[in-house]
Amino acid sequence: MKRTLGLISLALVASSAFAQNRNAIEVMLVAANPEAPAPTASWDTYKMVKDRLGIDLSFSMLPPGVDGDNKLGSLAAANDLPDLFEIRNRSLFFKLQEQGQLAPVESILSLMPKRTRARYSDKKRSVLVTVNGKVMGLQDPVNLSRQYGILIRQDWLDKLGLKAPTTLDEFLEVAKAFTERDPDGNGKKDTYGFGGVIDFDTAGILPGLGLGNHFQWVYGAYGVAGTWNYKAGNKFAANVKDPNYRKATEFIRKMVEAKVMDPDWATMKRSDLRTRWQQGKYGMFFESVGGLLAGYRNFDANNPKAEVRYILAPKGPGGKNATGTFASAGWLFAVSRKALDQGKGPAIAKFLEWANSGEGYNQLAWGKKGVHYNLVKGVPTVTTNNPSERGQYTQMRWLAMNGNTTELKGRYGPITSADGRTYNLYSDFLTVARKSPWIDRTGDLAVPSAPNQADIERYVSESMVQFVLGQRPLNDANWTSFLNGLRGVGFDQYEQNARSVLQKTGFIK
């Protein structure tokens, strides 16, 4: 027992010494590669950081979602937040700020000039983390936004003698042909025109209220994509109150009635969607560039000689189109008040500047050169066939990645099919999917959640599902009843707060 107590005491002393060493920093981030484990104690990045910067680095992984929020909350309650950490829940960010747990970061910005110039000099992003005139967080720009789009089976178009749709009406006609004319030639009616699910992924894209990301392009065709309209003064309102929001919902109802969508769409998960487009079930589907890259091998194996490509979002009756809404702000990092009080600001700045470019960037973002990647004409190109090992090695990559052209070329290079055809994923993504109109709604991140935010989101989403599935007839009486019901969940106050904050932060006049 004495030996055990002795070991515990030594460990506590060592831990305390680490915490108070101004050249020792503890970093806690959500795993960049959740499918891979945390780096081991022998991770050579630790030695590299010690040798190059004189810093003792400690890294641990934060659970995603609510578990991560709870962990940060517990650490804050014990006044034991890490020196530098990631925070994805903005409500929690402001709560920690109110509790005095976060440090203003202006003093370290000047110590990392390259990183500050590249990432923290945009006023619109800085205002998202500014409280009473002080910048309380490191708001990185998004390193991959607008990465989703509508993909179409070009080989099915060619077989049926069709052209890619450019309007909603054309979209429905093509979807009907993909559903009814046996485009895969197997003699069975087992294909659907469009594949999408109710999904609220927020990685570089803002889903808004209602049916989520995969149907924002329909609302965009009616000029009501996203949650707010961003109009000045009294014209500011939630898009859900706009008559065009109902028209967009009616179009989705029309797709359901025409049976051009997978009948399981309302209950499917994103993983189900991916399995089915890889099986060749859909002629058009909503997918990210990363999802396409990850699933292309299976798709190619199941559908030899098949060809997919991104198309522009179809236009609505008024000529408008938008794939969806996005924010220019990405990962948010915070420095604990405790770290700054212990004099660790310079070490944190030195480490972040190292991660921003050159050796540090490559080490964190791509792994070990010659093992995990090589530079091919200046473009980092992954060479390893062991994604788990590389994933473990690059768990801190979001501190480094920046979304520039070279990086995107490295992440999304050409794909070669089994029969030797090459699909330039990067080119298609940049020239079609990303150039399809998107609406910048960065200000949404400044809008505080309502006390009953989950109730509001559930009410709108479930109502839309009922309308498009026909469980609730989409007529004047029911739509009016739905709008009146918004008041019952406190929507007017939520809307009023949103307008006030967006005006105060300069996102609307």
Side-chain angles (χ1 to χ4, degrees):
M1 178 62 78
K2 287 183 178 179
R3 176 178 171 78
T4 302
L5 290 174
L7 290 173
I8 292 174
S9 298
L10 286 173
L12 290 174
V13 169
S15 175
S16 177
F18 181 91
Q20 295 180 23
N21 179 357
R22 62 178 55 194
N23 288 317
I25 59 174
E26 181 185 8
V27 180
M28 183 178 287
L29 309 174
V30 177
N33 307 294
E35 70 284 356
T40 65
S42 62
W43 187 29
D44 64 359
T45 297
Y46 292 134
K47 184 176 186 305
M48 186 179 289
V49 171
K50 179 68 174 177
D51 292 345
R52 302 288 195 276
L53 310 177
I55 293 172
D56 292 315
L57 175 66
S58 169
F59 170 61
S60 57
M61 299 205 317
L62 188 65
V66 176
D67 291 342
D69 295 345
N70 290 338
K71 184 174 181 64
L72 288 178
S74 298
L75 291 171
N79 193 30
D80 195 29
L81 282 170
D83 302 317
L84 173 68
F85 59 98
E86 181 181 352
I87 185 165
R88 295 192 175 183
N89 184 328
R90 287 179 184 270
S91 296
L92 178 60
F93 169 80
F94 289 108
K95 182 179 178 181
L96 295 178
Q97 187 277 327
E98 289 176 1
Q99 293 173 350
Q101 293 281 349
L102 306 185
V105 296
E106 286 100 334
S107 64
I108 68 171
L109 293 179
S110 61
L111 301 178
M112 45 183 190
K114 290 182 180 177
R115 188 179 183 97
T116 297
R117 186 165 55 251
R119 303 176 189 241
Y120 308 127
S121 58
D122 183 273
K123 292 182 179 178
K124 279 193 171 182
R125 285 196 297 273
S126 292
V127 78
L128 298 175
V129 290
T130 298
V131 182
N132 297 327
K134 293 184 178 180
V135 182
M136 302 302 297
L138 298 168
Q139 178 61 73
D140 269 35
V142 65
N143 60 48
L144 180 61
S145 68
R146 298 159 288 160
Q147 73 273 36
Y148 278 91
I150 301 171
L151 283 152
I152 196 166
R153 287 286 298 266
Q154 182 63 46
D155 54 314
W156 287 11
L157 283 176
D158 295 341
K159 181 177 180 179
L160 300 179
L162 300 171
K163 292 183 179 179
T166 60
T167 67
L168 288 182
D169 289 341
E170 291 175 2
F171 187 94
L172 186 56
E173 289 306 309
V174 171
K176 286 179 180 177
F178 285 166
T179 305
E180 299 167 357
R181 294 171 58 185
D182 191 21
D184 60 357
N186 67 355
K188 301 177 182 177
K189 192 175 179 180
D190 59 353
T191 57
Y192 297 100
F194 178 68
V197 295
I198 300 173
D199 185 83
F200 292 91
D201 180 24
T202 57
I205 184 171
L206 293 174
L209 295 172
L211 297 175
N213 294 317
H214 292 217
F215 297 93
Q216 280 292 303
W217 56 272
V218 180
Y219 293 91
Y222 287 91
V224 288
T227 300
W228 313 108
N229 65 15
Y230 276 47
K231 292 180 180 177
N234 292 330
K235 292 184 178 179
F236 173 83
N239 280 325
V240 70
K241 294 182 176 179
D242 190 309
N244 282 315
Y245 197 91
R246 173 179 167 179
K247 293 178 182 177
T249 306
E250 288 172 341
F251 179 81
I252 301 171
R253 170 64 186 152
K254 191 183 295 186
M255 288 202 297
V256 172
E257 287 182 310
K259 299 181 179 179
V260 301
M261 290 170 54
D262 191 319
D264 298 330
W265 72 272
T267 55
M268 284 167 45
K269 297 179 180 177
R270 199 188 318 166
S271 57
D272 300 320
L273 173 77
R274 288 178 166 165
T275 296
R276 296 186 188 189
W277 72 251
Q278 291 169 24
Q279 292 171 339
K281 297 294 184 185
Y282 306 138
M284 295 179 281
F285 52 96
F286 198 79
E287 182 57 282
S288 69
V289 61
L292 176 60
L293 179 64
Y296 188 81
R297 294 292 174 208
N298 283 338
F299 172 74
D300 186 47
N302 292 329
N303 309 273
K305 301 187 182 303
E307 182 181 352
V308 292
R309 66 181 177 89
Y310 281 105
I311 60 172
L312 297 175
K315 295 180 179 179
K320 296 179 179 178
N321 69 330
T323 305
T325 58
F326 74 100
S328 65
W331 309 117
L332 171 58
F333 306 107
V335 176
S336 67
R337 167 71 70 178
K338 175 171 62 72
L340 216 61
D341 289 346
Q342 291 173 341
K344 296 188 177 187
I348 292 171
K350 186 187 287 187
F351 172 66
L352 288 174
E353 187 79 331
W354 177 77
N356 184 64
S357 60
E359 176 192 64
Y361 165 83
N362 287 326
Q363 177 76 8
L364 297 185
W366 298 97
K368 196 167 185 175
K369 188 177 180 181
V371 177
H372 302 123
Y373 80 98
N374 275 319
L375 292 178
V376 179
K377 296 182 179 179
V379 176
T381 303
V382 175
T383 56
T384 180
N385 291 319
N386 190 340
S388 179
E389 182 195 60
R390 179 173 174 270
Q392 181 181 24
Y393 209 89
T394 58
Q395 289 290 21
M396 297 180 77
R397 65 176 177 162
W398 299 136
L399 274 182
M401 284 193 155
N402 53 51
N404 67 20
T405 300
T406 301
E407 184 178 286
L408 291 178
K409 283 183 177 179
R411 292 176 69 178
Y412 306 114
I415 303 173
T416 303
S417 63
D419 62 0
R421 290 172 295 122
T422 298
Y423 171 45
N424 193 328
L425 179 60
Y426 168 80
S427 177
D428 199 27
F429 165 56
L430 266 290
T431 60
V432 182
R434 218 174 201 189
K435 285 194 173 180
S436 189
W438 284 85
I439 302 171
D440 187 344
R441 287 289 185 262
T442 301
D444 281 22
L445 301 181
V447 176
S449 297
N452 62 332
Q453 186 70 28
D455 295 334
I456 291 174
E457 292 174 357
R458 189 182 308 110
Y459 174 74
V460 177
S461 182
E462 290 181 353
S463 296
M464 291 308 107
V465 171
Q466 291 168 359
F467 282 132
V468 299
L469 288 181
Q471 296 169 347
R472 188 177 180 185
L474 220 174
N475 54 36
D476 290 349
N478 285 335
W479 191 260
T480 299
S481 174
F482 158 68
L483 292 177
N484 290 338
L486 290 171
R487 286 195 285 272
V489 291
F491 198 89
D492 290 346
Q493 185 62 51
Y494 176 45
E495 186 178 59
Q496 184 178 328
N497 290 342
R499 177 170 58 187
S500 175
V501 169
L502 290 171
Q503 285 177 327
K504 185 178 178 182
T505 50
F507 285 98
I508 62 172
K509 295 182 179 178

